[in-house]
């Protein structure tokens, strides 16, 4: 008996069937069988399947005499024939990852679950990218005793990302319906209703292939029968729950329909004609009318609006509302604000309430306007269009400037009132490269700008011009200019190929090593870099400003990453990694940076390197950090050689010297002068105007939230561990949050939180954010040491403290015993602490003083001056 049976269903898919079967035969679990269940194919599938069966004794071939018209019957056939105690299902156009069967088998045997479900990922064949389906559902490895514990798992109604206990399926009578499409929805619902327990794992167990011109039941959404089948499957799923005594779960299953199934048809709706839209509304309306109001209150307010418009048979408005669901999520043409509520369109109705989106409360720079292209013509490379602008929330001031933004260009425009509360603009422009045209308005009072994309007819025929191809993008159909699809001339292709070949990192490194052998560094040239070129900030910037203040005869060149960082006025820049950067590295007599110049570049003989570093704190660093503490010689040797280049290191404190210097194997001079970038904190000097730029409201307290990243989840957004939704609900009347994510993190708060949360990951100087704030919320970030200089309250969100210190990053200090403020593990506790902030701050006064003495004793406001004197003294 094999350990696992994989049923591969197929119909007229001879070309892709071998790929699917090979993905099973290549599993790390070798003791398995493959059952090819053919739904009476009329192409070459029988021959291909027979050859596969002949080539491997683990493959069996079943063929139905008549086509069933769906997926249920061939799956049931395969299940009936399964010889193994566990089974999976695979469609012939998809694949299993190599360890899927073995990992799921191990889990089902360990947990004794009735089935195990894993992450399913779309695999886009044209670019090879994987996109996980609802990854939050699979984020934790766990056993679920009853679907009532996690009813959101109804969103996982796939049959293919699961391994089943065959005896459980046979004894419980759970089978696929054979008279309906979307049979897996009904099957999954019965599965959840009958299972004793089931397990969930976070790894990918199924690759769901998506081709550009694919054809399948799930992709034939333009067919009205497809809509009818999906609604029928939803009804039958509800009946399954009622039949098994789980009527209380029907609203959760209906929520799945509104959030997922209905969206499949609503997203492309702007491109459908009115006849199709009206028929679609007629098909889904009866089912929508059965769903209770409390379910609608859980979904996206714009989905609720679409449902209300369907039930009211307002199909023209429905197409407009559906266009707000995807892409730029365009604003409505009109909105009503009444009694503190906001309603979509011109009608006040509970079903049109969009207050939760907070669109009427957005700061001006994030405010939403709607720009519709009414007419568009092109002649001789020039585009002429008429744009209708709607201001549904009344955000445009009288004194303003308007423009069309084309990449880096701005074309002035003159909108004129249209008489219906909106504006009409005649726009003339010449495309010059790929971009997403946007119309922007700059408020004269403070110079702040808001922009929005232009919406066009989804049926618009693309227009090819010398400067680009204009056409609609996505379901929302916003205007986009693409580069013309022209094959470059032979000479151009040869030139680009030569540049690519000669411009590789390895070639640049070889050239650099040759340059430093034949050129002497210039004693009057310095290369400065901050955060690997992401900005011209931090301690390197403070040292630079002191150099300029003294007028020392040193030319400073700033290294700036492509598309990042704004150099000081009048300063020369080179693009990090470019040929000019390589040349400047070889010629500069001084290197100054905060993170590290490229590791493999040896320092030229005679060049002096000042390492300012970029923070201090409790986190492990250097050879103690996760990326270097492993027993791998090459990365440790690279870092050891990189550190050996340093001629001087800035140490903010004795504690920094105690931890950082030995953990990085540094043996050179140490400047114990404090931190140059913290001079501004000591003096209370702002570099910019954060209140204006971030639109911080007067009269509200400001909380700076600055968490650090997690080493095993960089760029995932998982460092944002507090519940911002709950904080907004509880504190938005009194507080506003500045969210300063770590530079390696990728996270942007949802639009409806922007009235409460100001994203500031791109704000150049974190010092400004510390000075303008009233309190700091962090976790394990080094920002806590700098913030202590201000003397203002700090709070610490440490819900993953044990994981972070034991298995994630590692620490040098027990934060819970030295923290200069309350440590909390839940957002509810955080809210309470913020409401009683003065008392909490006072209670930690002793700890705060000790913390400042440990980390900030050397901060006197003159660090940059003392560093310049010591390091650049010979340049005077």
């Amino acid at each position: 008996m094999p350990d696992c049976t994989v049923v591969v269903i197929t119909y007229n898919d001879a070309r892709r069937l071998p790929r699917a079967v090979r993905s099973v035969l290549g599993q790390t679990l070798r003791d398995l069988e493959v059952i090819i269940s053919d739904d009476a194919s009329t192409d070459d599938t029988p021959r291909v399947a027979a050859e596969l069966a002949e080539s491997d004794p683990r493959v069996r071939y079943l063929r139905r005499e008549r086509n069933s018209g769906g997926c249920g019957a061939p799956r049931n056939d395969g299940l009936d024939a399964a010889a193994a105690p566990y089974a999976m299902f695979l469609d012939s156009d998809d694949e299993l990852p190599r360890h899927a069967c073995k990992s799921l088998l191990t889990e089902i045997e360990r947990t004794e679950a009735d089935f195990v479900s894993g992450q399913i990922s779309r695999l886009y064949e044209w670019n090879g990218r994987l996109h996980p389906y609802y990854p939050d559902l699979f984020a934790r490895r766990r056993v679920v005793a009853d679907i009532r514990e996690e009813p959101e798992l109804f969103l996982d109604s796939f049959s293919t990302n699961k391994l089943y206990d065959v005896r459980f399926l046979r004894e419980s009578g759970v089978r696929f319906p054979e008279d309906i499409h979307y049979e897996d929805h009904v099957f999954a619902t019965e599965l959840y209703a009958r299972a004793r327990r089931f397990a969930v794992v976070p790894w990918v167990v199924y690759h769901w292939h998506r081709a550009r011109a694919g054809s399948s039941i799930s992709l034939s959404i333009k067919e009205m029968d497809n809509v009818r089948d999906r609604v029928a499957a939803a009804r039958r799923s509800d009946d399954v729950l009622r039949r098994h005594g789980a009527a209380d779960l029907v609203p959760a299953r209906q929520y799945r329909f509104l959030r997922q199934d209905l969206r499949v048809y609503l997203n492309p709706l702007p491109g459908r004609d009115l006849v199709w839209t009206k028929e679609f509304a007629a098909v889904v309306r009866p089912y929508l009318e059965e769903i209770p109001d409390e379910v609608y209150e859980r979904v996206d307010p714009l989905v609720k609006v679409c449902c209300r418009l369907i039930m009211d048979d307002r199909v023209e408005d429905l197409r407009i509302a559906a266009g707000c669901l995807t892409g730029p999520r365009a604003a409505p043409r009109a909105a009503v604000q009444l009694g503190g509520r906001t309603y979509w369109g011109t009608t006040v109705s509970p079903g049109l309430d969009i207050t939760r989106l907070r669109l009427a409360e957005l700061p001006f720079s994030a405010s939403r306007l709607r720009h519709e292209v009414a007419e568009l013509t092109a002649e001789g490379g020039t585009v002429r269009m008429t744009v209708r602008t709607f201001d549904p929330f009344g955000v445009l001031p009288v004194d303003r400037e308007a423009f069309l933004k084309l990449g880096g260009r701005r074309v002035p425009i003159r909108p004129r009132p249209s008489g219906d509360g909106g504006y009409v603009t005649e726009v003339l422009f010449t495309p010059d490269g790929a971009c997403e045209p946007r119309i922007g308005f700059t408020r004269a009072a403070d110079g702040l700008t808001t922009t929005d994309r232009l919406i066009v007819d989804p049926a618009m025929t693309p227009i090819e011009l010398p400067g680009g191809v204009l056409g609609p993008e996505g379901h929302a159909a916003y205007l986009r200019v693409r580069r013309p699809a022209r094959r470059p001339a032979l000479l151009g292709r040869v030139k680009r190929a030569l540049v690519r070949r000669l411009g590789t990192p390895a070639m640049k490194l070889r050239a650099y090593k040759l340059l430093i052998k034949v050129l002497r560094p210039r004693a009057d040239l310095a290369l400065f870099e901050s955060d690997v070129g992401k900005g011209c900030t931090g301690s390197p910037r403070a040292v630079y400003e002191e150099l300029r203040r003294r007028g020392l005869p040193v030319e400073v060149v700033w290294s700036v990453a492509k598309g990042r960082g704004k150099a000081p006025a009048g300063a020369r820049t080179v693009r990090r990694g470019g040929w000019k950067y390589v040349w400047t590295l070889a010629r500069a007599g001084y290197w100054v940076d905060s993170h590290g110049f490229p590791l493999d570049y040896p320092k030229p003989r005679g060049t002096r390197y000042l390492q300012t570093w970029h923070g201090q704190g409790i986190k492990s660093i250097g050879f103690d950090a996760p990326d270097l503490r492993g027993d791998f010689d090459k990365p440790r040797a690279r870092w050891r050689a990189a550190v050996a280049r340093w001629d001087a290191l800035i140490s903010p404190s004795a504690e920094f010297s105690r931890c950082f210097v030995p953990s990085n194997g540094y043996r050179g001079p140490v400047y114990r002068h404090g931190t140059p970038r913290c001079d501004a904190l000591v003096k209370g000097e702002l570099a910019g105007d954060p209140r204006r730029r971030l639109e911080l409201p007067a009269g509200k307290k400001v909380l700076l939230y600055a968490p650090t990243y997690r080493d095993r989840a960089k760029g995932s957004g998982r460092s944002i561990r507090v519940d911002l939704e709950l904080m907004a609900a509880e504190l938005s009347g009194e507080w506003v949050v500045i969210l300063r994510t770590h530079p390696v993190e990728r996270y942007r708060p949802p639009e409806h939180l922007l009235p409460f949360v100001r994203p500031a990951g791109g704000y150049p100087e974190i010092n400004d954010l510390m000075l303008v704030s009233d309190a700091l919320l962090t976790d394990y970030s080094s920002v806590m040491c700098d913030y202590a200089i201000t003397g203002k309250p700090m709070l610490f969100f440490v819900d993953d403290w044990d994981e972070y210190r034991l298995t994630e990053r590692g620490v040098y200090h027990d934060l819970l015993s030295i923290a200069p403020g309350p440590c909390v593990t839940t957002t509810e506790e955080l809210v309470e602490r913020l409401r009683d902030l003065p008392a909490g701050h006072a209670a930690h006064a002793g700890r705060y003083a000790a913390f400042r003495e440990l980390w900030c004793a050397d901060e006197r406001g003159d660090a940059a001056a003392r560093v310049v004197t010591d390091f650049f003294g010979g340049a005077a």
Side-chain angles (χ1 to χ4, degrees):
M1 181 187 295
D3 289 330
C4 176
T5 296
V6 179
V7 177
V8 183
I9 67 167
T10 188
Y11 175 68
N12 285 352
D13 198 18
R15 182 176 61 85
R16 293 177 295 190
L17 177 61
R19 182 184 68 186
V21 172
R22 282 195 297 267
S23 79
V24 182
L25 298 178
Q27 291 286 301
T28 48
L29 178 68
R30 306 300 298 168
D31 191 10
L32 49 74
E33 70 168 350
V34 181
I35 295 178
I36 301 173
S37 186
D38 180 7
D39 198 12
S41 295
T42 58
D43 67 348
D44 210 20
T45 294
R47 181 188 63 79
V48 171
E51 290 176 355
L52 289 168
E54 282 183 23
S55 67
D56 195 307
R58 294 176 294 171
V59 180
R60 287 195 282 153
Y61 177 47
L62 305 179
R63 175 178 167 80
R64 293 182 65 83
E65 292 184 4
R66 294 182 180 179
N67 178 256
S68 69
C71 300
R75 285 189 178 131
N76 287 335
D77 291 347
L79 181 61
D80 291 340
Y86 303 104
M88 286 189 74
F89 298 102
L90 172 65
D91 293 345
S92 61
D93 54 345
D94 298 329
E95 291 179 278
L96 296 182
R98 189 162 181 260
H99 303 293
C101 292
K102 189 171 187 178
S103 64
L104 291 175
L105 178 64
T106 301
E107 193 70 4
I108 201 169
E109 290 180 339
R110 183 184 72 85
T111 62
E112 297 183 349
D114 292 328
F115 66 91
V116 182
S117 182
Q119 177 73 67
I120 187 168
S121 284
R122 294 182 180 92
L123 195 162
Y124 296 101
E125 294 183 349
W126 57 91
N127 57 24
R129 292 179 181 172
L130 284 170
H131 183 77
Y133 176 89
Y134 287 113
D136 289 347
L137 293 179
F138 305 94
R140 293 181 299 109
R141 185 178 183 179
R142 61 201 187 275
V143 175
V144 183
D146 190 304
I147 186 63
R148 288 178 176 85
E149 293 180 2
E150 298 187 45
E152 62 273 13
L153 284 169
F154 278 123
L155 286 166
D156 174 21
S157 290
F158 291 97
S159 61
T160 50
N161 63 330
K162 298 173 178 65
L163 179 71
Y164 307 90
D165 182 325
V166 172
R167 186 167 68 175
F168 160 71
L169 293 180
R170 289 173 177 169
E171 291 180 354
S172 64
V174 178
R175 294 175 67 79
F176 291 93
E178 299 185 4
D179 59 343
I180 189 175
H181 290 315
Y182 299 108
E183 72 293 327
D184 47 350
H185 294 190
V186 184
F187 174 84
T189 302
E190 186 153 9
L191 198 66
Y192 286 128
R194 285 180 170 269
R196 282 178 308 113
R197 72 171 70 90
F198 58 93
V200 179
V201 296
W203 53 84
V204 176
V205 301
Y206 195 86
H207 287 165
W208 179 15
H209 278 253
R210 303 301 294 267
R212 282 194 186 276
S215 61
S216 68
I217 293 171
S218 62
L219 294 178
S220 58
I221 58 174
K222 194 174 180 179
E223 304 300 324
M224 200 55 61
D225 283 343
N226 186 283
V227 183
R228 294 186 180 94
D229 281 334
R230 200 182 288 258
V231 172
R235 284 187 184 280
R236 196 174 295 189
S237 297
D238 295 349
D239 291 341
V240 165
L241 293 174
R242 296 185 184 103
R243 191 167 62 249
H244 289 291
D248 57 307
L249 288 172
V250 170
R253 183 57 182 73
Q254 291 170 334
Y255 171 75
R256 180 240 143 79
F257 179 83
L258 296 180
R259 182 175 173 182
Q260 173 62 32
D261 298 322
L262 189 65
R263 284 292 297 269
V264 170
Y265 305 103
L266 291 179
N267 288 350
L269 197 65
R272 307 287 192 231
D273 59 43
L274 286 176
V275 173
W276 192 97
T277 305
K278 194 169 184 65
E279 186 177 0
F280 163 75
V283 171
V284 300
R285 184 181 299 119
Y287 184 64
L288 295 183
E289 290 174 340
E290 298 173 11
I291 298 176
D293 291 342
E294 57 265 26
V295 178
Y296 287 110
E297 291 306 313
R298 292 183 57 202
V299 298
D300 183 324
L302 286 172
V303 173
K304 180 179 70 173
V305 166
C306 289
C307 293
R308 183 70 264 163
L309 296 174
I310 288 172
M311 288 185 279
D312 292 345
D313 199 23
R314 295 167 56 181
V315 293
E316 292 188 12
D317 287 340
L318 173 62
R319 293 176 69 207
I320 296 172
C324 302
L325 292 171
T326 61
R329 290 179 65 90
R333 288 177 175 175
V336 176
Q337 297 179 59
L338 183 66
R341 313 297 297 178
T342 304
Y343 301 91
W344 191 93
T346 58
T347 306
V348 174
S349 165
L352 302 178
D353 190 329
I354 57 171
T355 307
R356 277 196 291 135
L357 297 178
R358 304 295 174 195
L359 292 173
E361 305 166 37
L362 295 173
F364 179 75
S365 56
S367 60
R368 301 306 308 275
L369 303 169
R370 183 182 181 93
H371 309 292
E372 296 182 3
V373 178
E375 296 181 27
L376 190 151
T377 59
E379 185 176 349
T382 300
V383 177
R384 182 185 300 274
M385 61 184 179
T386 302
V387 180
R388 297 177 61 201
T389 294
F390 301 88
D391 181 14
F393 308 108
V395 300
L396 288 181
V398 175
D399 195 3
R400 63 179 184 263
E401 292 184 356
F403 58 88
L404 175 70
K405 188 174 185 294
L406 300 164
R409 287 192 298 145
R410 288 189 176 189
V411 178
I413 59 176
R414 294 181 177 274
R416 65 181 190 276
S418 61
D420 56 1
Y423 302 87
V424 176
T425 309
E426 300 295 333
V427 182
L428 197 68
F429 71 98
T430 302
D432 185 18
C435 67
E436 294 175 356
R438 307 174 75 100
I439 284 183
F441 290 87
T442 299
R443 196 162 58 185
D446 51 21
L448 293 173
T449 295
T450 182
T451 67
D452 248 310
R453 285 179 273 196
L454 284 74
I455 301 169
V456 296
D457 184 345
M460 170 188 171
T461 302
I463 302 174
E464 185 166 351
L465 300 171
V469 180
L470 277 73
E473 181 73 17
H475 294 313
Y478 60 89
L479 183 64
R480 184 165 185 175
V481 181
R482 295 184 175 276
R483 290 187 179 89
R486 299 193 187 97
R487 185 174 175 81
L490 177 61
L491 183 61
R493 296 201 303 274
V494 171
K495 180 181 178 180
R496 274 192 286 275
L498 188 61
V499 168
R500 281 196 300 270
R501 185 166 185 176
L502 296 179
T504 62
M507 183 66 73
K508 290 175 180 175
L509 180 58
R510 285 197 292 269
Y512 171 81
K513 290 179 177 179
L514 177 62
L515 285 173
I516 63 175
K517 289 180 180 179
V518 299
L519 295 175
R520 292 171 58 87
R522 284 174 46 190
D524 63 344
L525 179 64
L527 179 62
F528 275 55
E529 185 173 284
S530 179
D531 194 7
V532 292
K534 294 177 183 175
C536 301
T537 60
S539 286
R541 179 61 176 266
V543 172
Y544 167 83
E545 295 297 346
E546 180 64 19
L547 277 174
R548 298 280 69 80
R549 188 187 70 79
R550 295 190 186 188
L552 296 182
V554 177
E555 180 191 0
V556 174
V557 176
W558 278 94
S559 158
V560 179
K562 186 177 181 181
R564 304 290 293 272
K566 185 177 181 181
R572 188 158 66 90
T573 64
V574 291
R575 182 170 63 83
R576 192 178 200 272
W579 280 109
K580 290 182 179 179
Y581 177 77
V582 172
W583 172 263
T584 309
L585 272 173
R587 293 290 281 147
Y590 300 99
W591 288 1
V592 179
D593 98 311
S594 63
H595 285 67
F597 286 109
L599 298 182
D600 294 325
Y601 280 63
K603 186 182 61 175
R605 187 178 303 170
T607 293
R608 300 186 67 229
Y609 186 172
L610 172 64
Q611 176 55 257
T612 70
W613 207 241
H614 51 276
Q616 59 176 332
I618 68 169
K619 298 188 296 185
S620 65
I621 198 70
F623 295 112
D624 297 334
D627 51 345
L628 290 177
R629 65 183 174 223
D631 190 19
F632 299 101
D633 291 338
K634 187 172 181 180
R636 293 170 68 88
R638 286 182 77 204
W639 182 242
R640 192 173 290 110
V643 170
R645 300 177 300 178
W646 302 349
D647 294 291
L649 170 68
I650 295 177
S651 171
S653 65
E655 186 62 16
F656 178 88
S657 296
R658 184 184 74 83
C659 297
F660 184 92
V661 172
S663 66
N664 285 276
Y666 177 68
R667 295 181 175 82
V670 176
Y671 294 165
R672 280 279 307 281
H673 303 322
T675 314
R677 76 160 184 265
C678 289
D679 289 349
L681 291 177
V682 176
K683 299 172 184 177
E685 296 176 347
L686 290 169
D689 187 357
R691 284 199 172 274
R692 180 196 66 83
R693 181 166 170 176
L694 298 177
E695 300 183 71
L696 301 177
K700 287 190 178 183
K701 290 177 284 189
V702 178
L703 177 67
L704 172 60
Y705 179 27
T708 192
Y709 65 93
R710 301 303 187 264
D711 288 81
R712 291 183 294 186
K714 293 179 181 178
S716 68
R718 295 180 190 171
S719 64
I720 314 302
R721 304 184 69 84
V722 301
D723 186 343
L724 293 173
E725 301 269 359
L726 177 60
M727 289 183 68
E730 296 289 336
L731 300 170
S732 59
E734 187 179 357
W735 287 86
V736 63
V737 171
I738 296 176
L739 177 58
R740 175 71 170 200
T741 51
H742 191 279
V744 306
E745 190 60 286
R746 294 179 183 176
Y747 175 82
R748 182 169 180 83
E751 187 177 58
H752 67 272
L753 285 179
L754 295 183
F756 175 67
V757 179
R758 300 293 193 270
Y763 191 90
E765 282 292 353
I766 191 173
N767 283 348
D768 285 0
L769 307 181
M770 288 190 270
L771 290 171
V772 80
S773 65
D774 296 290
L776 170 71
L777 171 63
T778 187
D779 43 22
Y780 321 112
S781 171
S782 62
V783 71
M784 68 176 78
C785 300
D786 294 350
Y787 201 83
I789 296 171
T790 70
K792 292 184 284 191
M794 287 190 269
L795 303 98
F796 300 86
F797 197 82
V798 293
D799 67 318
D800 63 338
W801 168 244
D802 286 338
E803 179 185 358
Y804 190 85
R805 68 186 178 91
L806 296 175
T807 64
E808 172 74 27
R809 179 63 179 256
V811 296
Y812 295 123
H813 293 269
D814 179 12
L815 178 63
L816 304 190
S817 64
I818 68 168
C823 293
V824 299
T825 57
T826 67
T827 305
E828 290 82 359
E829 187 181 1
L830 172 63
V831 168
E832 291 304 313
R833 292 289 190 170
L834 283 168
R835 285 174 173 158
D836 197 21
L837 188 61
H841 187 46
H844 287 79
R847 277 196 185 184
Y848 206 120
F851 192 88
R852 290 187 68 173
E853 181 63 27
L854 183 65
W855 302 107
C856 311
D858 294 337
E859 302 295 355
R860 302 183 182 90
D862 62 352
R866 297 173 69 186
V867 166
V868 168
T869 296
D870 284 359
F871 189 74
F872 291 95

